[in-house]
RNA sequence: GUGGCUGUAGCUCAAUGGCAGAGCGCCUGACUGUGGAUCAGGAAGUUGUGGGUUCGAGCCCCAUCAGCCACCCCA
């Protein structure tokens, strides 16, 4: 290594995505984008950098995670921390040119100076879908349907979207008599599954809630256990009307949740993919209505997505309330779960579909002609760069790279007007036998399409 | 941000303070038209980096960089 050469390394919490990983990432992003556009959402991108004051004061204690610095023009700037605040800025800036309800999706990296762990990075992609400018429960229900269709198309089977409402949690706090400490109830309740009943009560007491109030809150929350199908969600809502009779915010929350849940079958969301869960709180404090969270039942991991209604945040750059509901897909974790649980069947490791071997220099022109025909037919094709390196070496390269199909044309085939299609499996299989067929040279494109199952 | 664990070949890991190794992978050949199997050979390392202790450091000490775990918080 020459003197002074800089060590090749990535910054803490930052990653490279090599081609095999990119194939999966692009597959996931492409699948979700397709679902969003089917529902009429439009793409949006915003800059990495924002004025620091645009971002400051929006994230509470977590503001310490904000990347901030002074740029070359002495401006105080910050790196995008999420996609929600930039959305609010865009709405404020273009309020007169956007068509409302404004439906946008945004898939871009965000940056947080957090301490990294597995599934936790300083640069990671967020994938947000939001509907800005309507209070309709149809918009809330559509978010749940986006989760259903998105995860369905990715091949997920064992997952559920948990539903709740911030208004119900507020009502539970009032009902329990937690008074000023109502807020600290949320976070404790959210951990019920993790720390158990006594753990939750302990956290509430630590947060200044009385024992009696904690018990009353827990008793209400436990009513959402044992759900079998949608009728139990609706029964639970009906049962809560009595204790919340004198709590207007509770009744409002029940009405909204009921309207949303009743719409789900009409959106085509099957019963088993959602559930009303009174323990769901969500960490962010800007939610004002419905909240959702997608949990995997295959793998123990944090949520695969979450969202909800936040009617006050998006209008903060516009000087008025703009009702908004949104859903976020946890791209990095979705990818982790797909890899770990092998969801959706095997994916290729490369975007190359066909490898054209070159038998020798004399056959090069013919190989390039085949390559050109395949490319013109929309097939990702690469050709060997060393005509005289031999079939062995060329096929080994194709196998190592993960290309599933090779084309071989030697003098014998050429004389008969044929070529060979050789399928290439994953290496390491001792019992694998070569699988190759001969096709007519003038039918090569059609034959390759059949092999690749392309239309 | 708090507390802890770990960094040795491309990968997974060995090596009482005393000569840096194995398996897999990679490259070459046996195999004269076909990756994977078998056999033979080969390349590959400033032990993350920088200091210190020691006759001697992969091993002990300090710092630093990075990964991981539990909190916190979240995606």
């Amino acid at each position: 290594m020459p003197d002074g050469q800089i060590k090749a390394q990535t910054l803490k919490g930052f990653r490279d995505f090599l081609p095999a990983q990119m194939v999966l990432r692009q597959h996931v992003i492409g699948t979700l984008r397709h679902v969003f556009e089917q529902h009429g959402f439009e793409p949006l991108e915003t800059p990495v950098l924002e004025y620091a004051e645009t971002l400051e004061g929006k994230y509470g204690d977590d503001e310490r995670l904000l990347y901030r610095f002074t740029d070359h023009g002495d401006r105080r700037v910050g790196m995008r921390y999420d996609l929600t605040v930039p959305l609010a800025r865009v709405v404020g800036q273009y309020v007169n040119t956007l068509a409302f309800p404004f439906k946008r999706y945004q898939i871009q990296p965000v940056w947080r100076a957090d301490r990294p762990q597995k599934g936790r990075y300083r640069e990671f992609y967020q994938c947000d879908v939001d509907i800005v400018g309507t209070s309709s429960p149809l918009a809330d229900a559509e978010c749940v349907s986006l989760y259903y269709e998105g995860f369905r198309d990715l091949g997920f089977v064992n997952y559920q979207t948990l539903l709740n409402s911030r208004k119900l949690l507020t009502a539970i706090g009032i009902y329990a008599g937690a008074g000023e400490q109502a807020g600290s109830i949320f976070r404790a309740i959210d951990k019920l599954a993790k720390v158990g009943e006594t753990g939750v009560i302990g956290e509430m007491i630590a947060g200044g809630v009385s024992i009696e109030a904690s018990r009353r809150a827990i008793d209400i929350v436990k009513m959402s256990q044992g759900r079998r199908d949608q009728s139990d969600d609706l029964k639970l809502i009906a049962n809560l009307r009595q204790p919340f009779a004198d709590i207007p915010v509770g009744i409002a929350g029940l009405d909204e949740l009921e309207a949303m849940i009743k719409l789900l079958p009409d959106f085509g969301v099957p019963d088993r993919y959602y559930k009303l869960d009174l323990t769901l709180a969500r960490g962010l404090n800007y939610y004002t209505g419905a909240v959702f969270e997608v949990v995997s039942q295959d793998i123990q991991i944090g949520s695969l997505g979450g969202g909800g209604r936040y009617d006050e945040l998006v209008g903060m750059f516009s000087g008025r309330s703009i009702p908004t509901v949104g859903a976020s897909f946890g791209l990095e974790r979705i990818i982790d779960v797909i890899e770990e649980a092998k969801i959706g069947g095997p994916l290729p490791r490369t975007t190359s579909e066909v490898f054209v071997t070159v038998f020798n220099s004399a056959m090069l022109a013919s190989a390039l002609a085949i390559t050109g025909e395949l490319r013109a037919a929309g097939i990702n094709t690469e050709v060997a760069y060393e005509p005289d390196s031999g079939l062995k070496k060329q096929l080994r390269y194709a196998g190592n790279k993960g290309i599933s199909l090779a084309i071989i044309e030697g003098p014998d085939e050429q004389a008969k007007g044929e070529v060979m299609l050789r399928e290439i499996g994953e290496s390491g299989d001792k019992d694998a036998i070569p699988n190759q067929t001969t096709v007519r040279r003038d039918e090569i494109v059609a034959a390759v399409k059949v092999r690749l199952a392309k239309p």
Side-chain angles (χ1 to χ4, degrees), chain A residues 48 64 85 91 105 128 139 163 211 213 247 281 391 396-397 401:
Chain A
V48 176
R64 65 188 163 85
V85 169
V91 169
Y105 69 86
D128 279 18
L163 310 172
I211 295 190
I247 306 172
L391 288 177
R396 184 160 60 205
Y397 167 80
K401 190 163 172 176

Side-chain angles (χ1 to χ4, degrees), chain A residues 93-224:
Chain A
Q93 199 168 332
Y94 303 97
V95 69
N96 293 322
T97 54
L98 296 173
F100 289 91
F102 175 47
K103 302 168 65 173
R104 81 91 174 79
Y105 69 86
Q106 188 170 359
I107 304 171
Q108 285 191 275
V110 301
W111 293 269
R112 298 182 188 178
D114 205 354
R115 182 181 288 205
Q117 271 181 41
K118 188 171 192 143
R120 191 165 178 163
Y121 308 98
R122 290 188 163 182
E123 177 184 56
F124 62 95
Y125 274 72
Q126 284 200 332
C127 176
D128 279 18
V129 193
D130 291 274
I131 304 165
V132 180
T134 176
S135 302
S136 169
L138 282 162
D140 302 58
E142 181 144 43
C143 287
V144 179
S145 79
L146 287 174
Y147 279 134
Y148 165 62
E149 291 175 29
F151 282 101
R152 177 197 65 193
D153 290 358
L154 287 170
F156 281 69
V157 177
N158 296 314
Y159 70 94
Q160 214 164 30
T161 303
L162 308 179
L163 310 172
N164 197 10
S165 167
R166 271 299 169 82
K167 289 178 181 170
L168 290 196
L169 289 167
T170 301
I172 289 169
I174 294 169
Y175 171 80
E180 299 294 304
Q181 283 74 39
S184 69
I185 280 193
F186 297 178
R187 208 155 281 177
I189 287 176
D190 198 46
K191 294 182 179 167
L192 183 61
K194 195 174 175 184
V195 300
E197 200 173 320
T198 52
V200 170
I201 291 177
E203 287 221 18
M204 287 194 204
I205 291 169
V209 182
S210 71
I211 295 190
E212 295 72 28
S214 303
R215 289 253 160 75
R216 278 164 71 85
I218 287 268
D219 286 342
I220 289 275
V221 159
K222 279 163 63 184
M223 290 170 66
S224 62

